[in-house]
Amino acid sequence: GISTAATEGMLSAASEVIAVMDVDGQHDETKLAHMFQLISKQGIDVAVGSRFADGANLVDFSSFRTNLSLWSNKMAQKWFDVQLADSMGNFFMLRREVFENAAPQLGGRGQKLLLDIL
């Protein structure tokens, strides 16, 4: 699954900053440079690109998929006190040390890798 593949990719990466992005075209890859700047210049540990941010485009999402993502995010916010608009997404960047601290507890199941890391 996506979580296991992304985890394996991050484990094999040699850089101090790691990015994860689905390749299904739903994320704006031009945002990676800004995310990198936040981490490298401003000391942020994790930068998350959201499908639900102002200006984001969900036109290609079915209403079922949009509602499922929104519901999942609301539940993550409530149950795990994660204050993100898109904690179930697969478009994020983080410092290697953040990933390495979380890696032993990652289960590799489902689409919630970011939530598991956080």
Side-chain angles (χ1 to χ4, degrees):
I2 184 80
S3 291
T4 302
T7 298
E8 290 297 321
M10 288 188 284
L11 286 169
S12 65
S15 64
E16 291 302 313
V17 177
I18 304 167
V20 172
M21 183 174 80
D22 283 337
V23 295
D24 59 3
Q26 67 178 308
H27 303 295
D28 182 356
E29 72 280 355
T30 65
K31 303 296 183 190
L32 288 166
H34 178 67
M35 294 164 75
F36 182 76
Q37 185 154 10
L38 289 171
I39 289 175
S40 63
K41 303 275 195 259
Q42 295 186 23
I44 304 294
D45 288 330
V46 180
V48 179
S50 176
R51 300 167 288 180
F52 304 107
D54 289 339
N57 183 357
L58 292 174
V59 172
D60 295 332
F61 271 28
S62 68
S63 61
F64 173 78
R65 186 171 177 190
T66 299
N67 288 331
L68 181 61
S69 290
L70 288 169
W71 180 83
S72 297
N73 286 315
K74 291 285 185 201
M75 293 302 100
Q77 290 168 1
K78 180 179 179 172
W79 292 335
F80 302 107
D81 196 28
V82 174
Q83 300 306 312
L84 290 174
D86 202 354
S87 58
M88 298 296 172
N90 289 308
F91 186 35
F92 59 93
M93 187 177 289
L94 69 165
R95 295 181 180 278
R96 168 173 289 290
E97 64 191 67
V98 173
F99 168 70
E100 287 178 348
N101 287 336
Q105 289 80 36
L106 298 177
R109 295 182 51 125
Q111 295 276 340
K112 58 180 186 44
L113 179 60
L114 176 60
L115 181 61
D116 286 346
I117 290 170
L118 297 175

